[in-house]
Amino acid sequence: SNGHTWYGDIKNTNKTGGDYWVRMTIVPTLDDKGKPLQYVGICVEITDRKQAESLEKSRTHILELITKGEPLPVILNAIVKVIEQNNPDMLCSVLLLDDTGTHLLSGAASRLPNFYNEAIHGLEIGEGAGSCGTAAFMNQRVIVDDIQTHPYWVNYKELARMAGLGSSWSEPIRSTKGKVLGTFAIYH
């Protein structure tokens, strides 16, 4: 009402439930005495920029945790939370190999059910030990489109069904020398 330009970033939801951002700019047109006659609104979608800003902020936060010497579980949980916040339809986990290099231990999984995390804690790696156990054993990415029908999940499909997991993507976490340290997994 004072004749100044206003702008702000607004978060909206589309028809499918996804979020998107717009920058709204409202510019007044003035009469010859400098009083507003009308306002013109301009909207520009800025979702990509907002996502990039969010990821950079999260990356900085995680690097700060590392430089402060925070414990590994704190850092791993921060990484998992960042990915899940930016991709709400994903559930993520990090599993770490034990000292013997034969069993996976829970490292971070903030949104997976506790009963699921407890059941896979100590999982022996091997071909057919779910996506993560197989990925750690074979030292390669494992993608499973349908957990209920895939042979790697025969012994764990009921557990996955109870946890509401339909598909999975598991990637080995490797040292700089290529040794498998654990796995990072995304579930849908």
Side-chain angles (χ1 to χ4, degrees):
S1 63
N2 61 4
H4 296 297
T5 298
W6 177 91
Y7 70 90
D9 297 342
I10 302 167
K11 185 177 182 181
N12 296 297
T13 303
N14 61 28
K15 291 178 184 177
T16 61
D19 292 331
Y20 68 98
W21 285 86
V22 294
R23 164 137 312 174
M24 171 73 81
T25 306
I26 299 175
V27 183
T29 58
L30 308 176
D31 64 16
D32 55 0
K33 295 180 182 172
K35 293 191 176 185
L37 288 171
Q38 62 183 358
Y39 289 88
V40 177
I42 303 164
C43 286
V44 177
E45 186 174 352
I46 58 168
T47 303
D48 290 345
R49 184 170 70 193
K50 280 289 186 182
Q51 288 174 339
E53 287 172 3
S54 175
L55 287 172
E56 183 58 29
K57 185 177 178 181
S58 299
R59 179 180 167 274
T60 301
H61 172 66
I62 291 165
L63 288 173
E64 286 173 356
L65 293 175
I66 293 169
T67 56
K68 287 180 183 175
E70 291 289 341
L72 184 60
V74 172
I75 296 166
L76 294 178
N77 273 303
I79 292 168
V80 166
K81 284 181 181 178
V82 164
I83 295 167
E84 290 179 339
Q85 284 170 356
N86 286 286
N87 304 280
D89 59 333
M90 295 179 179
L91 299 171
C92 300
S93 76
V94 175
L95 299 175
L96 302 174
L97 274 174
D98 66 3
D99 292 339
T100 69
T102 58
H103 296 85
L104 288 170
L105 307 176
S106 296
S110 61
R111 289 178 47 215
L112 283 167
N114 285 337
F115 71 84
Y116 183 83
N117 294 328
E118 290 168 6
I120 63 169
H121 183 76
L123 172 73
E124 186 172 359
I125 67 172
E127 191 169 353
S131 296
C132 291
T134 305
F137 180 74
M138 298 175 68
N139 193 6
Q140 66 184 34
R141 178 180 302 147
V142 172
I143 299 171
V144 172
D145 293 328
D146 183 1
I147 287 173
Q148 292 303 308
T149 61
H150 199 281
Y152 290 168
W153 283 85
V154 167
N155 297 322
Y156 311 100
K157 66 182 180 180
E158 183 59 21
L159 179 67
R161 187 194 61 74
M162 290 169 56
L165 308 179
S167 62
S168 66
W169 175 95
S170 184
E171 181 76 20
I173 299 169
R174 300 179 187 94
S175 71
T176 54
K177 294 183 179 179
K179 179 183 175 187
V180 176
L181 304 174
T183 60
F184 174 76
I186 296 173
Y187 300 94
H188 287 89

